[in-house]
Amino acid sequence: CLLRGGQLLRAAAEERFTRRKQDGRFPEATIRYCLEAEGLTAEDIAVVAHGWRFGASSGDVRRVARRVAQEPSEVAREHLLGVSERYEEVDRNVERRVEEGLARLGIPRAKLRMYDHHLCHAAGALYFCPYGDALEPAGPSSCGSVCVTLDGRGDFAAGKVVTVAAVPALAAAKRTRRKGRSGIDVPEENEAEAARGEELHTLDVTSMFDSVGFLWAFVTAVLGFKPFRHEGKVTGLAARGQAERTLPIFESIMGLQQDSVDQSRWRIRTHWHDSEVHNFQLYLSGLEGAPSDKLRLQDFTLFKELSQHSREDVAAGLQFFTERLMLDYLARNGFARPLLCLSGGVFANVRLNMRLRMDLTGVQRVFVYPSMGDGGLCCGAAALAARELGETVSGAPWHHLAWPLVLRDDVHAALQASSAAGAQEAAKIPELNAFAQAVASHVHAG
């Protein structure tokens, strides 16, 4: 994407130019398009913002060490450390490819700034939210907003809960700044982004060792699909299965656990074991290494247990488990706000998002960032860079892409205009299970 003076001018995905679905290569074609469309050259670029830090901050190290220390078994702790080392190596390779891509475009490495992965997910949702009060900090006249991010992993985390807090912006920013690789002042590792009276403040972090996104990827592979790509097919199968048949399996490998230090906080936790085949995440980390490092999917205990059930029942159990886990996590920790923003690949799950809107007490509106996966990180990273420079961010990404933004009021207006019966149906549908039937009826009626 391309921002100038804080205004989003262009945004596109590399796959639109290469015709390669979810193209994960360096987005050279996209960058060229953004520059050429605005009559710019590489020399005009002031900052290249990237939604991945490629290296552990002091906070990351502390969190990883604390999470590893919570495992009672030395063998399990070694598994966690091995996973961490594997992904560090992967990230170093990606950083090298980014630097090589910038060099091909004639952009100096010194212009590259890297930002926390999940903070970029949150920034994209909060700064480009169509609701004007998304960036209002909590106060006497505002309950504020919160953004929940959830995916496989990024900068040693699988998710974060981020809110907006009022601070004496410039003073706070100066106290926490350091010199970056480019020689320009950047925020210190307090995971806050301060400018003009606003900061993004992290309320909670879910470790990459406890990743809901990885659980979905593993089950996607078990059901014969491509992990990290075909999770939507699992969601579709869930509608035709019986969740109670496989729900106990998922409850046995992951759940909520009260924090041993801060007992007011409940954490999402994966139950790690000594045996490799009892830890589904080891299969996924093995995919990142050499062929000799890969473990056979069929050897894992979870694969064997799920293979005793139909694909529909497996999908239904995972779907229901995820919905209940996230509802409990947000409710027990008091993270519900009238405005709930969602970002990260897990929130491509429409049913989950609807459950959070309808069943989470205190939530009145939900905004799902349109490009919730890693393809949307660029806008969040660019927004953080713009705020560092003291610029006001403006321009919603979907205004520059190929899809329109449809809000609830637009849907109600269309129903009211269609017929008198539509006007009566425009009221909120109270039951989630009735939603699909109501939509189908309206489509059938034209």
Side-chain angles (χ1 to χ4, degrees):
C1 70
L2 178 67
L3 269 72
R4 182 167 54 191
Q7 181 180 5
L8 183 63
L9 302 177
R10 300 282 170 174
E14 185 74 359
E15 66 178 26
R16 301 301 181 186
F17 302 95
T18 63
R19 313 309 298 170
R20 180 175 175 177
K21 187 67 175 174
Q22 295 183 359
D23 195 338
R25 295 173 295 180
F26 181 81
E28 188 170 338
T30 305
I31 294 174
R32 292 188 186 278
Y33 157 75
C34 289
L35 293 176
E36 293 172 2
E38 295 297 323
L40 302 173
T41 67
E43 295 179 353
D44 297 315
I45 296 176
V47 175
V48 176
H50 194 274
W52 212 297
R53 271 203 308 254
F54 297 129
S57 67
S58 58
D60 292 332
V61 173
R62 288 193 300 270
R63 279 193 295 272
V64 168
R66 187 165 55 243
R67 177 64 184 90
V68 171
Q70 290 172 346
E71 290 298 324
S73 164
E74 181 178 354
V75 176
R77 291 195 293 270
E78 290 177 355
H79 287 325
L80 269 63
L81 290 173
V83 167
S84 179
E85 292 173 0
R86 172 64 53 82
Y87 287 132
E88 280 190 88
E89 181 181 352
V90 171
D91 292 348
R92 283 194 296 269
N93 290 334
V94 175
E95 181 179 14
R96 175 182 52 80
R97 295 202 302 269
V98 170
E99 293 175 346
E100 292 173 350
L102 292 176
R104 289 195 298 271
L105 293 169
I107 301 174
R109 171 63 174 79
K111 292 186 177 182
L112 176 63
R113 295 195 205 176
M114 297 177 289
Y115 297 88
D116 177 81
H117 181 87
H118 284 275
L119 201 61
C120 290
H121 272 312
L126 290 167
Y127 283 117
F128 298 113
C129 179
Y131 300 117
D133 56 348
L135 290 174
E136 292 182 8
S141 60
S142 173
C143 294
S145 59
V146 70
C147 181
V148 182
T149 71
L150 207 62
D151 63 9
R153 73 171 186 96
D155 288 324
F156 302 92
K160 288 190 176 181
V161 180
V162 178
T163 190
V164 180
V167 294
L170 297 181
K174 289 178 180 178
R175 285 197 303 271
T176 60
R177 286 176 180 261
R178 58 178 171 80
K179 291 290 184 181
R181 295 185 186 180
S182 61
I184 303 174
D185 285 347
V186 297
E188 189 52 85
E189 189 282 318
N190 60 354
E191 296 181 326
E193 175 272 333
R196 302 199 180 193
E198 301 162 2
E199 72 168 351
L200 300 187
H201 176 63
T202 301
L203 298 177
D204 196 33
V205 180
T206 297
S207 170
M208 70 175 180
F209 304 125
D210 307 300
S211 173
V212 177
F214 278 162
L215 177 58
W216 272 81
F218 184 87
V219 174
T220 299
V222 169
L223 299 185
F225 305 122
K226 293 182 180 180
F228 304 111
R229 177 167 295 192
H230 292 161
E231 282 72 15
K233 296 181 179 180
V234 180
T235 304
L237 286 171
R240 303 180 62 84
Q242 301 296 318
E244 65 274 10
R245 294 176 179 173
T246 57
L247 181 60
I249 298 176
F250 295 110
E251 292 176 332
S252 69
I253 61 175
M254 182 180 287
L256 288 186
Q257 180 177 312
Q258 194 171 24
D259 191 279
S260 58
V261 177
D262 180 5
Q263 296 190 354
S264 66
R265 182 72 77 227
W266 289 83
R267 309 283 186 191
I268 297 174
R269 286 287 183 263
T270 298
H271 307 310
W272 286 78
H273 304 273
D274 289 354
S275 173
E276 281 189 341
V277 296
H278 285 346
N279 302 306
F280 69 89
Q281 290 209 32
L282 296 181
Y283 168 75
L284 300 168
S285 63
L287 296 178
E288 302 284 1
S292 59
D293 296 333
K294 295 180 180 179
L295 301 174
R296 278 184 10 112
L297 178 66
Q298 294 82 359
D299 292 338
F300 281 83
T301 302
L302 181 56
F303 174 90
K304 296 176 181 178
E305 292 178 341
L306 295 178
S307 297
Q308 303 302 313
H309 301 271
S310 70
R311 296 202 302 177
E312 291 81 1
D313 289 347
V314 170
L318 177 60
Q319 179 69 36
F320 185 82
F321 168 78
T322 305
E323 293 170 10
R324 191 166 68 181
L325 178 70
M326 292 310 300
L327 285 168
D328 289 348
Y329 169 73
L330 295 174
R332 290 194 184 193
N333 289 305
F335 291 147
R337 299 287 192 279
L339 174 56
L340 179 65
C341 296
L342 305 173
S343 189
V346 172
F347 292 117
N349 190 311
V350 177
R351 168 84 185 192
L352 170 62
N353 302 340
M354 294 174 65
R355 285 290 306 273
L356 295 180
R357 167 63 184 87
M358 293 187 170
D359 295 346
L360 191 58
T361 302
V363 173
Q364 299 172 6
R365 294 170 295 170
V366 168
F367 170 64
V368 184
Y369 185 60
S371 185
M372 70 288 292
D374 285 357
L377 286 170
C378 57
C379 291
L384 292 177
R387 296 299 286 158
E388 269 185 17
L389 299 174
E391 298 172 346
T392 300
V393 178
S394 63
W398 43 86
H399 292 172
H400 303 271
L401 297 179
W403 61 78
L405 173 65
V406 181
L407 300 179
R408 182 181 60 184
D409 292 343
D410 299 326
V411 176
H412 283 194
L415 288 173
Q416 291 172 340
S418 64
S419 65
Q424 296 176 358
E425 294 296 329
K428 173 185 172 184
I429 300 172
E431 295 295 332
L432 178 60
N433 290 333
F435 182 83
Q437 182 177 354
V439 171
S441 298
H442 286 302
V443 171
H444 178 70

